[in-house]
Amino acid sequence: MRVHAQRAGALIGGLMFPAVSLADWTLNMTPGVTGISNEIFSLHMIILWICVAIGVVVFGVMFWSIFAHRKSQGYKPANFHENTLVEILWTIIPFVILVVMAIPATATLVDMYDTTESDVDIKVTGYQWKWQYEYINEDFGYFSNLSTPRDQINNRQAKGENYLLEVDNPLIIPVGKKVRFLLTANDVIHSWWVPDFGVKKDAIPGFINETWTRVDEPGTYRGQCTELCGKDHGFMPVVVKAVPQEEYDTWVAEQKVAAEKERELTQKDWTMAELMERGEKAYQTACAACHQADGSGAPPAFPALKGSKIALEDMAAHIDIVVNGKSGTAMQAFGNQLSEVDLAAVITYERNAWGNNTGEMVTPKEIFDYKNEQ
Amino acid sequence: MDERTPAPEARPRTNARVVSWCLAGVVGMFAFGFALVPLYDVFCEITGINGKTGGRYEAVAAAEADVTRTVQVQFLAQNGPGMPWTFRPVTRSIDVHPGEPVTVAFFAQNPTGAAMVGQAVPSLSPSEGTLYFHKTECFCFNQQPLAAGESTEMPLVFIVDRDLPEHITKLTLSYTLYDQSKTATVSDTDRPITTTNENG
Amino acid sequence: MSAVADTHAQDHHHGPAKGFSRWLLTTNHKDIGTMYLIFSFAMFLLGGTMAMVIRAELFQPGLQIVQPEFFNQMTTMHGLIMVFGAVMPAFVGLANWMLPLMIGAPDMALPRMNNWSFWLLPCAFLILVSTLFMEGGAPNFGWTFYAPLSTTYGPPSTTFFIFAVHIMGISSIMGAINVIATILNLRAPGMTLMKMPLFVWTWLITAFLLIAVMPVLAGVVTMMLMDINFGTSFFDASGGGDPVLFQHVFWFFGHPEVYIMILPAFGAVSHIIPAFSRKPLFGYASMVYAVGAIALLSFVVWAHHMFTVGIPIAGQLFFMYATMLIAVPTGVKVFNWVATMFRGALSFEAPMLFAVAFVILFTIGGFSGLMLAIAPADFQYHDTYFVVAHFHYVLVPGAIFGIFASAYFWLPKWTGHMYDETLAQTHFWLSFIGMNLAFFPMHFLGLAGMPRRIPDYALQFADFNMVSSVGAFMFGATQLLFLFIVVKCVRGGKAAAAQPWDGAEGLEWTVPSPAPYHTFATPPEVK
């Protein structure tokens, strides 16, 4: 009963926040902001109009027959049933039209496969259900998670402008530069798509794929994962910010400093309250999708943490499963995904939230040692 | 049941014939489905379309390095799901002349408290370059056992073929490291033909 | 449709048995055809119900009715049930009923195998549907079940799904063998291959396609089974396998499969349009050659489903050109249908309405197919709602409208009664409007950037999704009307003449309506 009441509530809630005012009635593909996306757009329009023209002719004849050659109008049927010339013609003409279509299509395809020197190389790794971006020439990288609050998804809060198309850490690229993407995946096949760039490529576990783009206009561009990758396939957007070169350079420098700071944070002495605060945040991005915000999980695939043996008993086992994952299950190894600080914070949080009152905490330093000494 | 169907003399025989032909087709196509696996591997080896680099390369004759040309080779490393090792290339990127043998290394560390076995799976991009990337020595030819806490530098010796198409100026070699500790006990003969990876 | 038998059972020496055993043990092609049609309609309603769940969740942004896990199970089961449970069995049902009547044969060539191939189907779907109630839920990886999502990451019920696919595959293969044997061996004297009705031709070619590709499907699910349970790694990169190989093998089956679902409809429409145009079919021979060409080409285009997996440019170009080439024979068929209507004496009873809608809407689906074939543009269309719109435009007005048109066309022959024309036309118009309302906006959604298989979406997609859901509800509810019309027609109605349509031709119209339990005990002579 309670579930039904909740659902009914959610439904009413959903109806009360009409999204309609924000929606638009876009009918067509948008040209996008790159050379390739513009080429694709014009190709799309050429073929669309060719199809419309063929449609007008074919359906024109058909509707003429429907209106003029009706039995109810007393029309007497003809009796022809073949005409070799006509039949040959309507085999050859479509063939010629296809050749006409194939020429620009081939040209665009050749442009897409251009392998000239790139300015920035970024490795994109698909995870269930987030993207990892690594600036391989610069030695830093980060994860990009959906930042839309769960409350918006569950209709407990009005939906924001970029509902489901917003992330915590967007990919930053410089404008006017050729950016090369190297795509792979950790678990299942994902597909990285930014419509405005005309770039879509599958990220396949164990294999590397490449594609590229050159964005001319600064701006924020949004896309999504386009290969069904499990439960939260609809919740792993791609957000790319194209910024001027100077801004990009400053940002890269900041990232390097931040990475250094993160290492320092590990050495800092953390209090329980600080860890709990940071842990809650880290838990929401890294863990809540499966184990739920209230730790109740979604058994059997995603066990509850609230009141669980792992979170209440042996600390070493808890650290082990978070850092190293559990093979054969959906539990990933977070050791390489989260910083020592976040790992310590999450574990501390899980051991003390939702009535899991162990009072125990683990510090980033301990995690660091755990990872290095074992 | 079918006593009511009029049975001209010839019919039962032709039915049997049609059915046997069809069944032969069914069996053939089922086998073909499985044959697609090695066929695909052979096809990929010839064309390099899936980016899977080949096995150990035996140089026919020591080719001279083409010093007029430089190709950048990039190295990537990542872990498969649930693989806790630290795994990274020692050299991120290197400029090489086609024809010269080059040695690089990858670093791997097993931070866990148990001995584990890893297997690196190679992939090259652009896949067109796969045919022109030869490995004479690679850690990916074998499984890598590491004791608890042990770390190692694993060598890779390769030659970029002089026939590499002109328009390719950069090759990216990526390794994904998978945890084989559970399956390592399965002997090689028990594995299917798809396991071309032991030598690749 | 039991009326077929009841009226004739008593006075006939070899009449049907009574009660349930009649249906369980029957080897009569009409009984088996009826069972196939009833089964496929039941599956159509079940798969449709799942579609309603999907459209209800997508009615507006946010998660309202189901959670993403269950949503994925719904999209997967909807696809599997519609493809393997509704469309394919419906065509086998039509083949069972009509092939012997059209070629002047007393029954199918292998009647006992016929019985078996039907009864395997309910077993297969019982297994498939039961996965919904298993721990971990039903398959949730899409009807294309790409590895490794379906292998390493699949739910425990995947093994049952594989078993169900094996059983339905065996059923389809047996059905196909039966069709081939019947057509090759049981044609009435004088009926040469090039005198065969087009429905017979298209089914013959479909049967060959089934024999060629269903074993490949069986092979690919067997490999999955081995990967999941026996530690092989066909599709697992960690053991040296290749997830992309799965897609190659799957689509080697999958592309001919889409023609399996459309070719018999081509055949049926090629009877209906001439009948209601009162004019012979234009270009019979070119129709046959076109179907053959489509079937052959369907084996060399599979990778157009995989343009984004990273195929080298030479491969992209080959598959793009080959796919575009399919437009030629398909175009020939459409032109022939239009030429058949041209200068005919047209009337628009329900079968003709569905057939004309078939031609128009299938052509629209063909246009979007041509757009998808253009590899560079496909990078934008791939895995968006544009694809969903495309394949629903070829499958709903293609396969489903083809089946409705056939059903109305031959119902008088099956039941001996005329169906209620007013209700049937209402069914048509509501289906037509509902279908277009549901699927046309999906083109816009896809072009605007909405990926497929997502349970929730960004706000700019809200309006068209709402329209689409309304259309889907309308289309779904309308199908209950079809059930009513058929039941009403079976129970009574205006008696149908042996030849209820003045323009229809073929041997099936030479037997009385309803068709007696046994027909063509002595083969007719075809001149």
Side-chain angles (χ1 to χ4, degrees):
Chain A
M1 279 318 283
R2 224 183 100 243
V3 179
H4 286 291
Q6 268 179 4
R7 280 182 188 165
L11 194 60
I12 293 162
L15 290 168
M16 280 168 65
F17 298 117
V20 184
S21 58
L22 280 162
D24 48 19
W25 298 89
T26 315
L27 298 180
N28 201 0
M29 189 188 276
T30 43
V33 293
T34 65
I36 291 292
S37 70
N38 277 287
E39 274 185 63
I40 293 176
F41 177 75
S42 42
L43 195 58
H44 161 76
M45 292 314 289
I46 294 170
I47 301 156
L48 180 66
W49 286 117
I50 291 177
C51 288
V52 168
I54 299 171
V56 165
V57 173
V58 175
F59 298 147
V61 174
M62 187 184 213
F63 284 117
W64 169 250
S65 310
I66 289 174
F67 288 113
H69 308 150
R70 302 173 77 109
K71 190 190 172 208
S72 53
Q73 313 272 316
Y75 194 85
K76 292 278 168 283
N79 198 33
F80 62 86
H81 58 88
E82 55 190 4
N83 183 327
T84 315
L85 178 69
V86 170
E87 287 176 62
I88 289 174
L89 271 183
W90 71 36
T91 311
I92 290 174
I93 294 173
F95 187 79
V96 173
I97 297 176
L98 289 179
V99 172
V100 170
M101 285 182 181
I103 293 166
T106 307
T108 307
L109 203 59
V110 170
D111 288 346
M112 292 173 99
Y113 275 73
D114 169 66
T115 54
T116 53
E117 190 53 51
S118 58
D119 303 303
V120 180
D121 289 4
I122 296 170
K123 180 175 153 197
V124 179
T125 312
Y127 285 75
Q128 282 181 328
W129 294 278
K130 53 187 168 263
W131 296 101
Q132 184 188 21
Y133 301 119
E134 287 167 277
Y135 291 72
I136 49 184
N137 303 334
E138 308 286 353
D139 220 3
F140 71 87
Y142 51 87
F143 282 87
S144 181
N145 297 283
L146 176 75
S147 63
T148 302
R150 287 272 143 190
D151 277 351
Q152 287 190 16
I153 295 167
N154 293 322
N155 310 307
R156 287 188 287 265
Q157 210 183 77
K159 297 185 191 344
E161 187 192 352
N162 294 313
Y163 176 69
L164 295 188
L165 297 178
E166 51 199 347
V167 296
D168 51 0
N169 303 306
L171 176 68
I172 312 280
I173 57 169
V175 292
K177 292 290 163 73
K178 182 169 176 180
V179 182
R180 180 164 161 266
F181 300 107
L182 293 152
L183 299 115
T184 186
N186 178 260
D187 31 48
V188 300
I189 301 176
H190 302 269
S191 189
W192 196 81
W193 183 35
V194 182
D196 281 326
F197 299 171
V199 166
K200 181 186 286 156
K201 204 82 177 189
D202 289 0
I204 301 163
F207 290 82
I208 193 106
N209 252 334
E210 71 172 89
T211 185
W212 64 275
T213 193
R214 178 181 280 117
V215 184
D216 296 322
E217 287 169 48
T220 304
Y221 305 102
R222 295 167 202 279
Q224 283 177 270
C225 174
T226 49
E227 183 62 68
L228 179 61
C229 55
K231 175 170 88 73
D232 281 352
H233 162 56
F235 304 92
M236 51 181 295
V238 174
V239 180
V240 183
K241 258 172 90 175
V243 298
Q245 183 68 43
E246 310 80 70
E247 204 178 314
Y248 174 75
D249 293 336
T250 324
W251 178 80
V252 167
E254 277 169 17
Q255 288 303 306
K256 287 180 172 167
V257 173
E260 186 53 40
K261 223 180 190 167
E262 193 65 34
R263 278 187 279 273
E264 275 167 28
L265 274 180
T266 310
Q267 303 303 322
K268 173 190 159 197
D269 290 322
W270 287 76
T271 67
M272 180 84 169
E274 283 171 336
L275 280 176
M276 283 298 282
E277 193 193 331
R278 192 176 172 113
E280 183 169 4
K281 268 193 218 124
Y283 181 86
Q284 295 305 337
T285 34
C287 319
C290 296
H291 294 294
Q292 305 303 318
D294 60 357
S296 62
F302 311 115
L305 299 177
K306 185 178 173 179
S308 77
K309 255 175 102 164
I310 292 275
L312 292 175
E313 292 172 21
D314 186 23
M315 166 83 93
H318 191 176
I319 298 176
D320 178 64
I321 196 167
V322 175
V323 172
N324 298 328
K326 189 172 173 190
S327 65
T329 71
M331 182 64 193
Q332 303 167 353
F334 284 93
N336 291 325
Q337 294 188 27
L338 297 178
S339 68
E340 280 76 23
V341 178
D342 282 333
L343 285 169
V346 158
I347 293 167
T348 306
Y349 179 72
E350 287 173 355
R351 297 183 82 80
N352 295 285
W354 332 292
N356 285 359
N357 295 320
T358 60
E360 295 169 347
M361 66 177 264
V362 57
T363 64
K365 184 114 190 12
E366 284 171 289
I367 298 286
F368 184 79
D369 293 344
Y370 172 86
K371 278 166 89 173
N372 285 291
E373 280 169 21
Q374 282 216 30
Chain B
M1 277 286 160
D2 57 353
E3 83 275 22
R4 48 165 202 79
T5 41
E9 301 314 294
R11 242 206 24 244
R13 204 173 62 233
T14 48
N15 270 352
R17 246 179 62 187
V18 171
V19 172
S20 13
W21 275 112
C22 289
L23 283 178
V26 169
V27 172
M29 288 309 291
F30 186 71
F32 176 73
F34 278 85
L36 279 174
V37 177
L39 281 178
Y40 180 72
D41 278 345
V42 171
F43 186 68
C44 290
E45 230 165 84
I46 297 169
T47 60
I49 61 163
N50 67 346
K52 207 188 262 178
T53 51
R56 189 185 300 273
Y57 176 72
E58 308 291 348
V60 191
E64 250 177 72
D66 178 0
V67 288
T68 58
R69 214 176 140 200
T70 310
V71 177
Q72 191 190 353
V73 183
Q74 253 176 350
F75 302 98
L76 298 180
Q78 61 265 335
N79 288 350
M83 181 58 160
W85 290 15
T86 307
F87 178 49
R88 61 167 187 268
V90 175
T91 319
R92 290 203 167 272
S93 158
I94 190 169
D95 288 336
V96 303
H97 299 302
E100 68 176 341
V102 181
T103 308
V104 292
F106 279 66
F107 174 82
Q109 189 199 12
N110 174 7
T112 68
M116 290 180 70
V117 180
Q119 168 73 54
V121 172
S123 177
L124 189 86
S125 186
S127 57
E128 203 187 342
T130 314
L131 292 179
Y132 308 97
F133 190 86
H134 309 304
K135 288 176 289 190
T136 53
E137 190 62 61
C138 180
F139 56 92
C140 60
F141 294 157
N142 306 103
Q143 297 192 330
Q144 297 294 323
L146 281 186
E150 192 189 349
S151 65
T152 179
E153 282 204 1
M154 307 180 293
L156 162 69
V157 184
F158 67 91
I159 303 168
V160 174
D161 202 297
R162 289 170 59 106
D163 296 334
L164 182 77
E166 283 297 324
H167 65 93
I168 299 182
T169 54
K170 191 187 259 180
L171 292 169
T172 304
L173 179 63
S174 145
Y175 284 102
T176 311
L177 189 70
Y178 287 100
D179 180 3
Q180 300 284 322
S181 309
K182 299 229 170 50
T183 49
T185 48
V186 180
S187 76
D188 279 358
T189 45
D190 291 338
R191 317 223 77 204
I193 30 184
T194 46
T195 325
T196 52
N197 210 64
E198 263 81 58
N199 56 9
Chain C
M1 273 168 241
S2 56
V4 180
D6 292 348
T7 46
H8 291 260
Q10 280 72 26
D11 54 19
H12 202 291
H13 179 60
H14 293 297
K18 292 273 182 300
F20 183 64
S21 64
R22 164 183 172 185
W23 300 102
L24 190 64
L25 302 175
T26 184
T27 55
N28 180 287
H29 73 102
K30 300 183 182 79
D31 280 354
I32 294 176
T34 304
M35 289 196 296
Y36 262 113
L37 290 170
I38 292 172
F39 174 79
S40 79
F41 189 71
M43 286 296 122
F44 180 58
L45 292 185
L46 179 61
T49 309
M50 292 170 175
M52 296 303 108
V53 173
I54 294 168
R55 282 318 320 174
E57 178 53 53
L58 292 174
F59 186 72
Q60 54 180 358
L63 296 176
Q64 288 89 16
I65 296 159
V66 295
Q67 289 302 304
E69 297 93 321
F70 191 69
F71 182 90
N72 287 345
Q73 294 174 29
M74 286 293 104
T75 53
T76 307
M77 296 293 273
H78 166 72
L80 290 170
I81 287 176
M82 286 303 194
V83 168
F84 296 105
V87 173
M88 290 169 67
F91 282 129
V92 182
L94 290 174
N96 259 293
W97 249 104
M98 302 317 298
L99 288 185
L101 289 179
M102 287 179 151
I103 61 172
D107 203 306
M108 297 295 276
L110 309 154
R112 273 171 290 193
M113 190 166 88
N114 204 8
N115 170 291
W116 197 29
S117 69
F118 171 75
W119 281 109
L120 280 180
L121 269 187
C123 303
F125 280 87
L126 205 64
I127 295 172
L128 186 64
V129 173
S130 71
T131 58
L132 276 169
F133 306 99
M134 289 179 189
E135 183 162 323
N140 54 11
F141 30 65
W143 87 276
T144 50
F145 47 99
Y146 278 9
L149 185 62
S150 60
T151 52
T152 320
Y153 295 83
S157 62
T158 309
T159 304
F160 291 90
F161 151 79
I162 291 170
F163 191 43
V165 170
H166 273 139
I167 299 176
M168 63 183 83
I170 291 169
S171 160
S172 292
I173 289 169
M174 292 200 304
I177 292 177
N178 211 342
V179 165
I180 294 175
T182 307
I183 296 175
L184 293 186
N185 292 343
L186 296 188
R187 293 196 309 279
M191 183 178 276
T192 57
L193 282 177
M194 288 311 276
K195 277 187 188 164
M196 289 196 315
L198 260 171
F199 183 70
V200 180
W201 253 118
T202 53
W203 240 113
L204 181 64
I205 291 170
T206 304
F208 278 115
L209 284 181
L210 279 167
I211 286 190
V213 300
M214 289 311 280
V216 177
L217 174 69
V220 74
V221 294
T222 307
M223 290 180 219
M224 277 175 64
L225 186 77
M226 291 163 76
D227 269 10
I228 296 170
N229 297 312
F230 308 125
T232 61
S233 35
F234 286 99
F235 309 129
D236 182 1
S238 70
D242 186 343
V244 176
L245 170 67
F246 173 89
Q247 298 182 24
H248 282 291
V249 186
F250 178 83
W251 286 113
F252 184 84
F253 147 79
H255 201 77
E257 168 70 18
V258 306
Y259 292 103
I260 287 167
M261 290 190 282
I262 197 70
L263 294 184
F266 283 178
V269 165
S270 303
H271 291 282
I272 295 165
I273 289 184
F276 294 93
S277 302
R278 293 161 186 84
K279 185 164 157 282
L281 179 72
F282 187 89
Y284 170 90
S286 66
M287 283 299 218
V288 174
Y289 301 140
V291 173
I294 293 173
L296 285 179
L297 281 173
S298 74
F299 285 103
V300 292
V301 298
W302 76 88
H304 68 216
H305 297 268
M306 307 163 53
F307 280 144
T308 62
V309 301
I311 298 172
I313 188 160
Q316 302 268 32
L317 289 174
F318 171 79
F319 285 107
M320 174 169 86
Y321 298 150
T323 307
M324 289 169 78
L325 220 47
I326 290 193
V328 175
T330 315
V332 166
K333 296 198 74 81
V334 172
F335 301 145
N336 281 340
W337 287 320
V338 173
T340 306
M341 290 168 69
F342 188 68
R343 294 183 55 209
L346 277 63
S347 64
F348 295 94
E349 287 86 350
M352 182 63 163
L353 286 174
F354 275 108
V356 172
F358 166 96
V359 176
I360 297 172
L361 301 176
F362 178 80
T363 304
I364 293 176
F367 286 149
S368 57
L370 185 58
M371 296 170 80
L372 284 160
I374 308 294
D378 183 69
F379 278 89
Q380 291 287 46
Y381 307 139
H382 179 77
D383 265 342
T384 67
Y385 260 79
F386 192 79
V387 176
V388 180
H390 158 71
F391 68 72
H392 281 96
Y393 257 83
V394 289
L395 284 177
V396 178
I400 308 277
F401 278 21
I403 294 163
F404 284 145
S406 313
Y408 285 122
F409 189 52
W410 286 311
L411 259 180
K413 181 59 60 192
W414 297 339
T415 64
H417 305 127
M418 297 307 285
Y419 58 84
D420 185 327
E421 186 63 44
T422 317
L423 284 181
Q425 297 207 4
T426 313
H427 171 227
F428 167 75
W429 284 110
L430 289 175
S431 295
F432 181 82
I433 296 167
M435 181 266 151
N436 280 292
L437 213 53
F439 299 117
F440 208 82
M442 289 185 183
H443 289 113
F444 307 139
L445 286 170
L447 293 175
M450 179 168 161
R452 66 191 279 209
R453 293 169 165 165
I454 57 174
D456 193 5
Y457 47 81
L459 300 182
Q460 69 262 35
F461 308 127
D463 294 351
F464 279 127
N465 267 299
M466 199 175 274
V467 173
S468 178
S469 289
V470 169
F473 298 146
M474 182 174 164
F475 182 81
T478 304
Q479 304 323 314
L480 297 174
L481 180 60
F482 177 70
L483 180 64
F484 176 76
I485 293 167
V486 172
V487 171
K488 189 169 172 226
C489 179
V490 170
R491 299 175 65 140
K494 207 176 113 223
Q499 167 65 300
W501 315 113
D502 55 322
E505 281 178 30
L507 288 176
E508 74 264 38
W509 308 111
T510 61
V511 300
S513 295
Y517 199 58
H518 298 301
T519 39
F520 295 124
T522 23
E525 195 75 33
V526 177
K527 283 174 211 74

